[in-house]
Short mmCIF file of all heavy atoms in Angstrom, two decimals:
data_model
loop_
_atom_site.label_atom_id
_atom_site.label_comp_id
_atom_site.label_asym_id
_atom_site.label_seq_id
_atom_site.Cartn_x
_atom_site.Cartn_y
_atom_site.Cartn_z
N ASP B 26 45.85 29.58 59.98
CA ASP B 26 45.08 29.46 61.23
C ASP B 26 43.58 29.18 61.04
O ASP B 26 42.76 29.80 61.72
CB ASP B 26 45.29 30.75 61.97
CG ASP B 26 45.10 30.59 63.53
OD1 ASP B 26 45.01 29.39 63.94
OD2 ASP B 26 44.74 31.57 64.19
N ASP B 28 40.70 26.38 61.21
CA ASP B 28 40.41 24.98 61.78
C ASP B 28 39.89 24.02 60.77
O ASP B 28 39.20 24.57 59.79
CB ASP B 28 39.36 25.15 62.88
CG ASP B 28 39.88 25.97 64.10
OD1 ASP B 28 41.21 25.93 64.27
OD2 ASP B 28 39.07 26.46 64.83
N VAL B 55 43.83 12.07 45.99
CA VAL B 55 43.69 12.94 47.17
C VAL B 55 44.53 14.19 46.98
O VAL B 55 45.52 14.18 46.36
CB VAL B 55 44.16 12.16 48.48
CG1 VAL B 55 43.24 10.97 48.71
CG2 VAL B 55 45.65 11.65 48.38
N VAL B 101 54.35 35.48 43.08
CA VAL B 101 54.17 34.22 43.83
C VAL B 101 53.65 33.04 42.88
O VAL B 101 54.08 31.97 42.85
CB VAL B 101 53.07 34.39 44.98
CG1 VAL B 101 52.82 33.05 45.65
CG2 VAL B 101 53.52 35.40 45.89
N GLU B 166 59.62 37.45 51.40
CA GLU B 166 58.76 36.96 52.52
C GLU B 166 58.25 35.58 52.04
O GLU B 166 58.03 35.39 50.91
CB GLU B 166 57.60 37.96 52.62
CG GLU B 166 56.66 37.70 53.89
CD GLU B 166 55.74 38.87 54.15
OE1 GLU B 166 55.70 39.85 53.40
OE2 GLU B 166 55.01 38.83 55.18
N ALA B 178 60.10 18.01 49.30
CA ALA B 178 61.47 18.14 49.83
C ALA B 178 61.59 17.44 51.13
O ALA B 178 62.73 16.88 51.41
CB ALA B 178 61.73 19.67 49.98
N LEU B 207 56.68 26.65 62.35
CA LEU B 207 55.79 25.79 63.27
C LEU B 207 54.69 25.13 62.44
O LEU B 207 54.34 23.93 62.77
CB LEU B 207 55.16 26.89 64.28
CG LEU B 207 54.36 26.22 65.35
CD1 LEU B 207 55.15 25.20 66.13
CD2 LEU B 207 53.75 27.34 66.21
#
Side-chain angles (χ1 to χ4, degrees):
Chain B
D26 199 17
D28 293 336
V55 292
V101 179
E166 190 167 6
L207 185 59

